[in-house]
């Protein structure tokens, strides 16, 4: 036993060189793994931040674009202080600094007192800099209509989006367009004040205090311009029935608060008919979009079109002439023509069943009046004075035969 124990060889261990080499390899592997993990986390964090910024900027851009569409006019240069209402500056909090108006929208609902989108340095707190975009204008109620549209002193200054960059290069406007703003929030407006291209550049916070930027832009025209272009785009040899769009007039025979299909649509949404079709706020200045369009589109309803001799739907000629001479088509659609000029408008045509059939498949915008539209047959003239409910946008899907004039089945757009 003693000899056998003597003959057993001792187990050999690692040499110092082997330990050093193994440690170096392990350190390299750990370093590479850590670098890969940090790279993955950085990429994931950046991607998530980019997606969040993209969603936030898109939402802010869509909100601004929707208000541009319903505007009567866009002020070409928002930096002109004489265009700013006297109630604008006094309402700004002292903690907000470096105020710079960028986009000013004249709205029919506000008696053309402009709503202002501006850039400013926010106070320390929940809203982060370097800059934030603010909106000064009437607030919205639960049904999406303006609160106190005629009282600018009561309009709030509300932040729309923060983390807006202050540095970078300014966008370049097209020839004849005016631009105002900074690299973080900039607007180009065409010479007629009907189209605006709005740029936003948002900051993206990455890991290790690194930042990046994401730019979003959108080009939007006031809806009245689009309608006018669709109306006047056809040549003289083309009839209105050959177009996929149409412009109509409607009165209370077709759109009112005692029509069963409209009452049912309002009840399904838990709001009043008057709110749905702007009946609670008729106006002689401007043609605001229906709440039905801006907040509750998609409904399919059937509406009447009046009776023979008391029609409720009318077509407009491509060239408007009234008692005092020619009318601007665009101003008429925006609701900016003076009441005195809206009498004896020539060639406003009441629609019978044949003309109603031609509307199927067309996307239409109707200027809706709060009362009957008076028509003289010889010569063919209409009195288009009086209060209006606004613009109603829909697509005609079918004509439903009736004992009098046919009904229209429409989809609210």
């Amino acid at each position: 036993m003693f000899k056998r124990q003597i003959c057993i060889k001792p187990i050999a261990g690692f040499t110092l060189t082997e330990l050093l080499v193994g440690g170096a390899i392990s350190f390299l592997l750990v370093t590479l793994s850590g670098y890969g993990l940090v790279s993955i986390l950085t990429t994931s964090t950046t991607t998530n931040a980019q997606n969040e910024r993209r969603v936030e900027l898109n939402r802010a851009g869509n909100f601004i674009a929707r208000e541009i569409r319903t505007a009567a006019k866009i002020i070409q240069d928002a930096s002109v202080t004489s265009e700013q209402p006297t109630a604008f500056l006094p309402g700004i909090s002292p903690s907000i600094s470096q105020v710079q108006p960028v986009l000013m929208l004249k709205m029919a609902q506000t008696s053309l007192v402009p709503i202002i989108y501006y850039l400013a340095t926010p106070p320390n707190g929940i809203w982060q800099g370097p800059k934030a975009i603010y909106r000064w204008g009437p607030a919205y109620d639960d049904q999406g209509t303006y609160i106190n549209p005629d009282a600018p002193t009561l309009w709030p200054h509300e932040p729309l989006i923060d983390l807006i960059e202050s540095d970078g290069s300014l966008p370049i406007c097209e020839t004849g367009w005016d631009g105002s703003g900074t690299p973080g929030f900039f607007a180009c407006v065409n010479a007629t004040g009907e189209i605006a291209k709005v740029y936003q550049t948002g900051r993206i916070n990455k890991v290790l205090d690194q930042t990046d930027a994401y730019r979003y832009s959108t080009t939007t025209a006031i809806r009245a311009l689009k309608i006018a272009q669709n109306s006047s785009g056809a040549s003289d040899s083309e009839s209105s029935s050959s177009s996929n769009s149409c412009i109509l007039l409607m009165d209370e025979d077709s759109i009112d608060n005692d029509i069963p299909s409209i009452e049912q649509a309002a009840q399904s949404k838990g709001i009043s008919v008057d709110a749905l079709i702007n009946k609670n706020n008729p106006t002689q200045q401007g043609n605001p979009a229906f709440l039905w369009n801006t907040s509750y589109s998609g409904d399919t309803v059937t509406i009447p079109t009046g009776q023979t001799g008391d029609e409720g739907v009318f077509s407009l000629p491509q060239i408007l002439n009234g008692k005092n001479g020619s009318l601007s088509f665009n101003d008429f659609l925006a609701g900016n023509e003076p009441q005195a000029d809206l009498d004896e408008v020539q060639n406003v045509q009441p629609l019978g069943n044949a003309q109603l059939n031609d509307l199927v498949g067309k996307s239409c915008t109707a200027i809706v009046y709060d009362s009957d539209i008076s028509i003289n047959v010889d010569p063919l003239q209409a009195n288009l004075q009086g209060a209006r409910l606004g613009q109603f946008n829909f697509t005609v899907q079918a004509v439903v035969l009736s004992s009098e004039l046919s009904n229209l089945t429409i989809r609210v757009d």
Side-chain angles (χ1 to χ4, degrees):
M1 288 293 296
F2 179 73
K3 289 182 179 180
R4 187 176 300 165
Q5 290 176 353
I6 293 175
C7 292
I8 295 174
K9 294 182 179 179
I11 298 174
F14 292 107
T15 65
L16 178 61
T17 302
E18 291 172 334
L19 290 174
L20 292 174
V21 172
I25 294 173
S26 299
F27 177 78
L28 180 61
L29 291 175
V30 170
T31 301
L32 292 175
S33 300
Y35 178 81
L37 180 61
V38 170
S39 178
I40 292 173
L41 291 175
T42 300
T43 301
S44 176
T45 301
T46 301
T47 301
N48 290 337
Q50 288 174 338
N51 290 336
E52 290 177 1
R53 274 275 86 178
R54 186 178 296 111
V55 170
E56 291 169 353
L57 291 168
N58 287 353
R59 284 177 177 172
N62 289 338
F63 181 89
I64 296 172
R66 187 179 68 177
E67 204 152 41
I68 291 174
R69 292 188 189 100
T70 60
K73 187 177 182 61
I74 309 167
I75 293 178
Q76 193 173 14
D77 188 355
S79 64
V80 178
T81 56
S82 60
E83 296 280 8
Q84 299 171 13
T86 56
F88 170 59
L89 291 177
I92 299 177
S93 170
S95 60
I96 299 175
S97 59
Q98 297 179 316
V99 173
Q100 183 172 0
V102 175
L103 182 67
M104 299 173 66
L105 308 176
K106 288 187 174 182
M107 316 296 291
Q109 303 95 312
T110 65
S111 300
L112 301 184
V113 176
I115 292 172
I116 301 178
Y117 288 89
Y118 62 93
L119 197 68
T121 302
N124 293 328
I126 188 172
W127 299 102
Q128 303 180 56
K131 299 289 184 179
I133 298 174
Y134 289 79
R135 173 186 177 273
W136 178 73
Y140 289 90
D141 62 17
D142 293 338
Q143 297 177 350
T145 56
Y146 286 145
I147 301 172
N148 298 319
D150 297 322
T153 56
L154 301 178
W155 292 357
H157 291 261
E158 296 181 319
L160 182 65
I161 186 171
D162 61 353
L163 283 171
I164 298 299
E165 284 288 1
S166 57
D167 300 324
S169 58
L170 286 174
I172 300 175
C173 297
E174 299 179 30
T175 303
W177 293 42
D178 277 356
S180 58
T182 72
F185 184 38
F186 194 87
C188 296
V189 180
N190 74 334
T192 60
E194 295 167 327
I195 307 173
K197 186 166 186 177
V198 180
Y199 300 84
Q200 301 174 82
T201 304
R203 173 170 291 188
I204 300 173
N205 289 327
K206 300 162 60 175
V207 297
L208 303 178
D209 293 329
Q210 297 180 355
T211 62
D212 201 351
Y214 175 80
R215 172 170 284 187
Y216 169 87
S217 66
T218 179
T219 302
T220 310
I222 62 177
R223 185 167 180 83
L225 174 65
K226 293 182 179 179
I227 299 168
Q229 288 175 333
N230 289 338
S231 173
S232 61
S235 65
D236 294 337
S237 62
E238 294 174 329
S239 66
S240 59
S241 62
S242 66
S243 173
N244 289 326
S245 61
C246 69
I247 303 170
L248 303 172
L249 300 179
M250 285 184 169
D251 64 19
E252 62 181 3
D253 289 327
S254 295
I255 305 292
D256 209 346
N257 53 6
D258 58 355
I259 296 175
S261 59
I262 299 178
E263 290 178 340
Q264 293 172 7
Q267 289 174 1
S268 69
K269 298 165 180 54
I271 65 173
S272 68
V273 178
D274 288 353
L276 193 66
I277 62 173
N278 294 0
K279 187 78 174 181
N280 55 357
N281 190 29
T283 179
Q284 294 186 4
Q285 178 66 48
N287 289 315
F290 272 22
L291 179 65
W292 208 351
N293 295 121
T294 58
S295 299
Y296 301 106
S297 61
D299 283 345
T300 298
V301 296
T302 299
I303 60 173
T305 63
Q307 301 174 347
T308 302
D310 186 19
E311 293 84 359
V313 182
F314 309 82
S315 66
L316 284 170
Q318 292 187 8
I319 299 176
L320 293 179
N321 288 294
K323 180 178 181 180
N324 298 323
S326 63
L327 303 174
S328 164
F329 206 99
N330 192 45
D331 283 342
F332 173 78
L333 296 174
N336 295 333
E337 286 287 358
Q339 287 284 310
D341 294 342
L342 296 178
D343 193 12
E344 300 180 10
V345 179
Q346 301 171 17
N347 299 320
V348 176
Q349 178 69 54
L351 300 189
N353 284 336
Q355 293 85 6
L356 293 172
N357 288 332
D358 291 337
L359 297 178
V360 176
K362 293 187 177 182
S363 296
C364 300
T365 290
I367 305 302
V368 182
Y369 279 73
D370 192 31
S371 59
D372 276 339
I373 294 176
S374 176
I375 294 286
N376 293 323
V377 177
D378 189 16
L380 186 58
Q381 296 175 340
N383 184 346
L384 301 183
Q385 296 171 325
R388 300 175 295 270
L389 303 184
Q391 289 185 14
F392 182 37
N393 306 307
F394 56 87
T395 298
V396 180
Q397 297 188 324
V399 170
V400 181
L401 295 179
S402 176
S403 59
E404 283 285 344
L405 291 178
S406 298
N407 297 330
L408 293 180
T409 298
I410 61 173
R411 184 192 68 233
V412 179
D413 295 335

